[in-house]
Amino acid sequence: MNSTNKIKLFLVDDDALFLKSLEIEFLDHADFEIETYSTGELCLANLSNNPDVIILDYHLDGIDRNAINGIATLDKIKAFNPEIAVIMLSSQDKIDVAIDCMHHQAFDYVVKSETAFVRLQKIISSLYEFRKMKKELSWYMDRM
């Protein structure tokens, strides 16, 4: 975690309106530190800011057809630091898209809808419960 103990969240989506509304939702509900990016390239260029969680759009080619897509961005994030939790977002509710994301080490997959924010909130909460448990568990294991 970063020094402020706030969860640092990267939101990456080429849909400016969706990106803004997501940012507002998160800031309204919790004390996150948020950075938003409209491309995978910008997200990757700023990984040194050490995000805890990245919410990443699957497509990312709405502005620029040649832009790096979500899966390629995900792979590069994981290569940079496998500890960063990446939650993929897609406008398509397709099982093969979900499987693709999980295959590339996404923590979870959320379909863009009215309930997307609530789902994201739950996933981030469970992620932190899971991390806390993992920490406590390793502390316990070290003492065995």
Side-chain angles (χ1 to χ4, degrees), residues 57-74:
D57 182 46
Y58 182 76
H59 290 289
L60 289 178
D61 60 358
I63 301 167
D64 173 5
R65 278 275 158 245
N66 302 315
I68 180 174
N69 68 26
I71 290 290
T73 306
L74 171 61

Side-chain angles (χ1 to χ4, degrees), residues 14-71:
D14 56 9
D15 177 343
L17 207 62
F18 183 80
L19 193 61
K20 194 70 205 160
S21 62
L22 204 55
E23 182 183 12
I24 291 164
E25 287 269 29
F26 273 109
L27 290 172
D28 276 353
H29 285 81
D31 201 10
F32 288 101
E33 203 177 317
I34 298 178
E35 293 179 26
T36 61
Y37 299 106
S38 57
T39 66
E41 286 85 346
L42 281 169
C43 166
L44 294 170
N46 288 282
L47 285 176
S48 54
N49 295 351
N50 296 320
D52 299 300
V53 181
I54 298 177
I55 295 171
L56 179 63
D57 182 46
Y58 182 76
H59 290 289
L60 289 178
D61 60 358
I63 301 167
D64 173 5
R65 278 275 158 245
N66 302 315
I68 180 174
N69 68 26
I71 290 290

Side-chain angles (χ1 to χ4, degrees), residues 116-134:
F117 174 71
V118 178
R119 291 247 318 119
L120 289 166
Q121 231 183 343
K122 284 189 177 136
I123 292 165
I124 290 172
S125 300
S126 64
L127 171 69
Y128 277 87
E129 279 305 301
F130 171 69
R131 287 210 170 149
K132 209 174 95 211
M133 260 168 37
K134 230 166 97 174

